[in-house]
């Protein structure tokens, strides 16, 4: 089972190597814990004399870095990391300019070889330690999930570095989206961008997405529910290092509302 | 739910509520009669339990006063029905958002843990020859 982590980057020269270090560490834990559990289970199986191939023990990962010609030369850092971790683990997609998140994901998806895709932020706001919990939920036999989403708003989740104004904005936006779209189970955090997808799910969804900005992530979940996909969620903590409302201008808000109305009329 | 778009769901709710409102306005007197008579019924039952040993002369005043109040409330509800709906939605929104803000957990430890991990990462990477 190969996992592809697609990281669209723009001016992430400083964060990218740390991101790779965290991902490598997280997956080493996942791989070693699955090896120990499968070896203990296989010895039990041998004693009960039935054979079962342990397909879960061959877990591997790759990181697909999609760089939109960052002026701070993130590409050069990505190449250094490719030398360090190997061409198997680090794949680079270099694009000619800032072409948008949707096309970055599509380009990354095309260059990836994984069976499951993880989309997350490259600015260290998402902690890769939650990936193992997402994988556990997706592997659970009780329910076949197509998407496992990280939610900040459920018990066990949270944020770091948000002032009251930011919290009001985020809760207000979430309430509005829930009221208008009523997406259902697994969608408590519609604008969250830390998710694990089955390959077939994200391949079907990405070409359909038209919204830009925060509504982009919302549209993925809403369209997935409209297609009867099963969405699970695990609580995550989001660490906002870009303090203040500098990232959340009036333009972003308008874009979000526009996307919301678009979804209201088409789903 | 039925394969309807969201705006279609809202539209149908709007039409349903408008129909109910129209019917209510047309039949105001009947509605008020029903409300006051059911109020009377409950009041009388209560009075019977409470004032068995006293005479019932005062009770008619009580009944008329609360009847009046109920009539006013029902009239307000019927006349300003859309406003009542919007106001209820607004109150629901305010409460939900406030509860959401209060339960949104602020995690200082996550921020500190991140900074520590960043230091650890930088040490490892510079040790492996990466030029940060």
């Amino acid at each position: 089972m190969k996992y592809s982590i697609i990281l669209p980057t723009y001016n992430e020269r400083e964060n990218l190597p740390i991101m790779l270090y965290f991902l490598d560490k997280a997956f080493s834990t996942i791989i070693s814990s699955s090896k120990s559990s499968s070896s203990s289970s296989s010895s039990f199986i041998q004693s009960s004399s039935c054979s079962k191939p342990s397909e879960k023990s061959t877990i591997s990962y790759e990181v697909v870095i999609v760089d939109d010609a960052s002026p701070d030369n993130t590409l050069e850092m990505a190449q250094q990391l490719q030398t360090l971790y190997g061409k198997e683990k680090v794949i680079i997609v270099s694009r000619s300019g800032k072409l948008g998140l949707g096309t970055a994901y599509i380009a990354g998806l095309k260059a990836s070889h994984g069976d499951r895709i993880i989309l997350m932020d490259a600015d260290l706001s998402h902690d890769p330690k939650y990936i193992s919990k997402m994988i556990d939920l997706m592997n659970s036999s009780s329910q076949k999930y197509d998407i496992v989403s990280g939610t900040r708003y459920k018990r066990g989740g949270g944020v770091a570095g948000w002032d009251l104004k930011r919290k009001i904005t985020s809760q207000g936006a979430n309430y509005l989206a829930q009221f208008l779209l009523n997406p259902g189970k697994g969608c408590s955090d519609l604008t969250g961008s830390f998710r694990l997808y089955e390959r077939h799910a994200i391949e079907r969804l990405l070409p359909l997405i038209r919204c830009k900005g925060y509504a982009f992530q919302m549209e993925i979940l809403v369209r997935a529910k409209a297609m009867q996909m099963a969405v699970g969620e695990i609580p995550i903590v989001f660490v906002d290092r870009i303090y203040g409302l500098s990232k959340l201008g009036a333009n972003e808000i308008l874009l979000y509302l526009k996307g919301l109305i678009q979804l209201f009329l088409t789903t | 739910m039925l394969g309807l778009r969201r705006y279609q769901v809202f539209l149908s709710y709007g039409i349903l509520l408008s129909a109910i409102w129209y019917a209510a306005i047309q039949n105001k007197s009947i509605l008020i009669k029903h409300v006051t008579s059911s109020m009377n019924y409950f009041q009388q039952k209560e009075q019977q339990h409470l004032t068995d040993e006293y005479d019932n002369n005062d009770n008619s005043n009580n009944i008329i006063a609360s009847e009046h109040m109920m009539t006013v409330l029902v009239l307000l509800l019927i006349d300003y029905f859309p406003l009542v709906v919007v106001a209820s939605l607004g109150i629901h929104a305010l409460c939900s958002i406030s509860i959401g803000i209060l339960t949104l957990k602020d995690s200082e430890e996550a921020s500190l843990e991140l900074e520590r991990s960043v230091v650890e990462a930088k040490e490892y990477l510079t040790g492996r020859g990466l030029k940060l």
Side-chain angles (χ1 to χ4, degrees):
Chain A
M1 178 75 72
K2 196 181 186 92
Y3 291 87
S4 298
I5 300 115
I6 303 182
L7 294 177
T9 59
Y10 189 74
N11 285 344
E12 300 285 2
R13 191 203 171 80
E14 292 185 18
N15 294 329
L16 195 54
I18 305 175
M19 215 42 221
L20 265 281
Y21 175 77
F22 288 165
L23 282 167
D24 193 49
K25 205 164 99 169
F27 270 96
S28 312
T29 328
I30 294 171
I31 292 171
S32 60
S33 73
S34 84
K35 278 211 181 99
S36 62
S37 69
S38 68
S39 60
S40 57
S41 62
S42 56
S43 57
F44 172 75
I45 288 169
Q46 278 170 9
S47 63
S48 56
S49 66
C50 60
S51 62
K52 186 168 103 174
S54 49
E55 76 278 326
K56 283 195 198 128
S57 64
T58 53
I59 293 182
S60 62
Y61 77 95
E62 65 181 10
V63 180
V64 182
I65 301 171
V66 185
D67 184 53
D68 284 0
S70 302
D72 72 348
N73 217 350
T74 308
L75 182 62
E76 194 252 312
M77 173 57 77
Q79 284 160 343
Q80 275 194 62
L81 290 165
Q82 197 174 45
T83 328
L84 178 60
Y85 287 102
K87 283 210 160 74
E88 291 273 311
K89 290 237 169 84
V90 178
I91 299 175
I92 300 177
V93 177
S94 176
R95 306 205 302 165
S96 47
K98 214 169 181 208
L99 303 174
L101 193 60
T103 44
Y105 280 145
I106 292 177
L109 191 60
K110 225 187 324 180
S112 66
H113 312 97
D115 309 298
R116 290 182 178 165
I117 315 288
I118 296 166
L119 299 185
M120 61 195 296
D121 286 353
D123 58 359
L124 302 176
S125 46
H126 292 144
D127 191 337
K129 75 179 181 202
Y130 294 109
I131 294 181
S132 86
K133 298 206 179 93
M134 289 182 177
I135 294 177
D136 286 341
L137 186 62
M138 205 174 241
N139 286 339
S140 78
S141 49
S142 56
Q143 160 92 49
K144 277 264 139 277
Y145 290 114
D146 299 292
I147 302 175
V148 174
S149 176
T151 171
R152 296 162 288 182
Y153 302 145
K154 284 238 155 111
R155 182 187 291 258
V159 293
W162 272 9
D163 57 356
L164 183 65
K165 220 164 150 193
R166 182 73 179 87
K167 284 188 192 178
I168 294 175
T169 320
S170 123
Q171 289 294 333
N174 199 46
Y175 179 83
L176 192 60
Q178 296 283 344
F179 176 72
L180 285 179
L181 303 175
N182 196 24
K185 197 166 173 294
C187 298
S188 59
D189 191 351
L190 283 167
T191 52
S193 46
F194 191 4
R195 300 186 192 139
L196 170 67
Y197 301 86
E198 293 277 5
R199 195 187 185 90
H200 60 80
I202 193 67
E203 275 180 343
R204 278 173 74 195
L205 286 168
L206 268 184
L208 304 171
I209 312 300
R210 295 274 163 269
C211 296
K212 297 192 178 20
Y214 285 100
F216 177 86
Q217 303 291 348
M218 187 165 61
E219 188 173 1
I220 296 182
L221 266 194
V222 169
R223 296 223 179 265
K225 293 300 277 194
M227 290 176 170
Q228 322 299 340
M229 289 190 191
V231 178
E233 54 185 5
I234 56 132
I236 61 162
V237 175
F238 177 87
V239 182
D240 198 347
R241 298 167 98 209
I242 307 172
Y243 301 116
L245 281 177
S246 55
K247 221 168 131 189
L248 202 59
N251 215 15
E252 279 286 346
I253 296 179
L254 279 171
L255 215 52
Y256 175 77
L257 291 173
K258 187 171 150 209
L260 197 52
I261 293 173
Q262 242 178 305
L263 284 174
F264 181 66
L265 294 173
T266 56
T267 47
Chain B
M1 180 180 72
L2 286 163
L4 287 175
R5 302 282 158 89
R6 286 303 293 172
Y7 76 92
Q8 291 167 335
V9 172
F10 271 68
L11 225 57
S12 28
Y13 269 112
I15 293 173
L16 181 68
L17 289 172
S18 305
I20 292 176
W21 189 33
Y22 184 72
I25 288 190
Q26 296 301 335
N27 302 308
K28 264 195 237 185
S29 45
I30 304 174
L31 278 172
I32 290 175
K33 207 164 62 169
H34 277 288
V35 168
T36 49
S37 68
S38 57
M39 262 225 73
N40 269 337
Y41 177 71
F42 285 118
Q43 284 244 306
Q44 272 173 11
K45 285 204 102 176
E46 203 184 301
Q47 297 290 6
Q48 271 165 20
H49 286 291
L50 290 175
T51 60
D52 267 333
E53 55 267 36
Y54 302 107
D55 62 340
N56 296 339
N57 285 342
D58 261 350
N59 303 332
S60 51
N61 279 336
N62 290 341
I63 292 176
I64 288 174
S66 39
E67 241 183 57
H68 183 67
M69 193 178 74
M70 265 321 268
T71 313
V72 166
L73 279 177
V74 170
L75 269 177
L76 276 178
L77 174 68
I78 294 177
D79 285 341
Y80 298 107
F81 186 63
L83 199 60
V84 170
V85 169
V86 169
S88 316
L89 275 173
I91 294 174
H92 181 262
L94 272 173
C95 293
S96 305
I97 294 178
S98 312
I99 291 177
I101 292 172
L102 291 171
T103 57
L104 189 55
K105 189 164 176 291
D106 231 325
S107 180
E108 280 284 332
E109 325 85 67
S111 196
L112 296 169
E113 193 193 318
L114 178 64
E115 296 305 325
R116 261 190 298 115
S117 308
V118 165
V119 168
E120 177 193 323
K122 282 190 172 158
E123 281 173 15
Y124 172 85
L125 291 167
T126 44
R128 300 267 281 180
L130 213 71
K131 289 209 218 8
L132 290 171

